[in-house]
Amino acid sequence: MSETTPYRALGEPFLAALQALATAPHGGWWADVLADPDLLLAVRDRSLNVYYRGASLFRITPAGAGVSAETHVKYLVRQRQALTRLGQDGGFALDPGTAVWTRYEGPGTLAEMKRAAAALSGLEKAGVHALVKASPNVVDVEIALTGAPMEAAAAEREGAEADAMLLAPDTEASATPTPAQTRRDRLDAASLEDRGAADEAWLVFHEAKLAANPSLRSKTTPAIVTQLARYRATLTEQADRLAQSYLALCHDLVRLDALRGAVRTARGLAAMPTLDPLVDEVARGARRLRVDTEPRLVVFGFDTDKRDGALKAVIDELRGQHSLQVYAVGRPSGRTTAAFRRPADAA
């Protein structure tokens, strides 16, 4: 694959197969996914991920003229409180069919998969999910890019380890350098932005952190500074390829959004919030897509008192001393305005 080949596109045959599956007798699971407003669809290279609170509930790929889907077994554990007896032979008196889903049996299965994912997701991922849902200009989540080599890379803490650190916010995050290496960078979200030129739209990448995340604080250089420097190098190196790939991605998102709307209409459900008009304009070629190589930092999970107190000093240092673009958005739940936007547009 050349450096200018779109690598975030489903392709017409796959899109057609997804459309056919939505009304096929065996496609109930896919129609349920499309109808569920809590789920996020992320376009990959000839595949589609279905996310809930940072967890990929399904990875969907082409299979001949049809569609194949896979999920992790941990999302199939039935969310029930029940006891089982341990026998003297070491066996549990348990019917596997009552402990895990062995077949997809309709919306109830999907609902329990979501509950299983919620129990496993971290505080930060749950918050990011809520922010994305309130931001119709977001076009991608959980974005993995092949990172540019860096002389120093901060060790990132994710998942359970990150949550454990959040319970002790005074713990200082390390920015200890590691040898130069090529690695996979993972950014939280990408959004489109109008900056006043009628024929342009900007693609912007974001990293989101809870206000209590220790990577925002350090007596020397906070780990987030090194992390965003690495992302900046990657975005600069891949800017042309990203612009072409996200043009294709916007085209696919418009098709998927129309399919979601059709499924909800057929089920008599209310319409979901529509995509930002910029997505359609980029997809139609009405706007040229440009890539902002400066990643944004979104800080969330705080109230007014914290914003005006110790957190203000932290954000002021990140903005002033380290020249980061920081947008402090408060609490993620109940938002009615987009979280992923320019810091200058903050309410």
Side-chain angles (χ1 to χ4, degrees):
M1 179 181 292
S2 72
E3 284 302 304
T4 57
T5 300
Y7 63 107
R8 269 177 164 71
L10 301 179
E12 183 57 37
F14 188 24
L15 279 167
L18 289 170
Q19 184 168 351
L21 182 64
T23 56
H26 62 285
W29 67 270
W30 172 231
D32 290 344
V33 165
L34 291 169
D36 192 322
D38 287 334
L39 300 180
L40 305 176
L41 304 183
V43 173
R44 300 294 182 246
D45 181 18
R46 305 301 189 273
S47 66
L48 187 70
N49 282 6
V50 179
Y51 283 106
Y52 181 69
R53 296 192 177 187
S56 180
L57 292 188
F58 290 106
R59 180 175 181 268
I60 309 171
T61 55
V67 170
S68 175
E70 60 185 11
T71 187
H72 198 287
V73 174
K74 62 187 177 184
Y75 303 132
L76 299 179
V77 177
R78 291 178 181 261
Q79 302 300 296
R80 299 177 179 177
Q81 293 186 359
L83 297 176
T84 185
R85 185 176 299 279
L86 175 61
Q88 294 184 356
D89 62 352
F92 290 103
L94 177 67
D95 176 3
T98 66
V100 298
W101 290 94
T102 58
R103 293 183 58 83
Y104 187 86
E105 298 179 6
T109 304
L110 183 59
E112 284 213 2
M113 291 177 70
K114 288 166 60 179
R115 283 196 288 272
L120 296 170
S121 69
L123 301 174
E124 210 157 64
K125 292 298 184 184
V128 171
H129 184 86
L131 295 176
V132 169
K133 283 186 58 184
S135 304
N137 61 326
V138 168
V139 294
D140 203 2
V141 295
E142 300 293 332
I143 305 152
L145 300 175
T146 301
M150 295 283 291
E151 288 300 323
E156 295 178 50
R157 296 172 171 86
E158 297 182 351
E161 185 179 355
D163 285 343
M165 292 181 66
L166 292 172
L167 298 178
D170 292 333
T171 302
E172 185 173 310
S174 170
T176 304
T178 59
Q181 56 184 312
T182 299
R183 54 172 292 151
R184 298 284 283 181
D185 290 329
R186 185 176 294 276
L187 294 94
D188 286 315
S191 67
L192 298 185
E193 193 169 273
D194 182 353
R195 296 186 180 175
D199 61 344
E200 290 182 349
W202 285 82
L203 177 66
V204 186
F205 292 85
H206 309 262
E207 179 69 14
K209 298 290 187 188
L210 276 168
N213 194 307
S215 71
L216 304 179
R217 302 163 175 81
S218 176
K219 295 177 181 177
T220 54
T221 300
I224 187 62
V225 175
T226 308
Q227 183 180 350
L228 292 185
R230 189 175 70 248
Y231 292 172
R232 187 181 303 114
T234 297
L235 295 174
T236 300
E237 182 182 65
Q238 299 190 24
D240 291 342
R241 190 177 184 215
L242 288 168
Q244 187 169 354
S245 294
Y246 275 84
L247 168 60
L249 178 145
C250 286
H251 172 269
D252 291 351
L253 283 184
V254 171
R255 292 277 298 274
L256 290 169
D257 189 59
L259 186 55
R260 297 188 87 165
V263 169
R264 288 185 64 84
T265 298
R267 294 187 173 194
L269 301 173
M272 291 174 56
T274 58
L275 294 172
D276 190 291
L278 283 175
V279 182
D280 180 65
E281 291 169 10
V282 169
R284 291 188 288 105
R287 289 180 183 255
R288 179 169 66 95
L289 193 59
R290 301 185 63 181
V291 177
D292 190 336
T293 58
E294 182 63 36
R296 304 260 179 85
L297 173 62
V298 177
V299 179
F300 68 95
F302 58 87
D303 54 24
T304 303
D305 290 341
K306 290 182 180 178
R307 182 193 64 193
D308 297 335
L311 181 60
K312 183 178 185 301
V314 172
I315 292 176
D316 286 348
E317 178 184 338
L318 293 174
R319 287 172 173 164
Q321 183 175 339
H322 301 290
S323 302
L324 298 186
Q325 294 193 28
V326 185
Y327 182 19
V329 301
R331 297 198 177 279
S333 59
R335 290 191 62 85
T336 57
T337 57
F340 297 96
R341 50 185 175 145
R342 288 184 293 178
D345 295 334

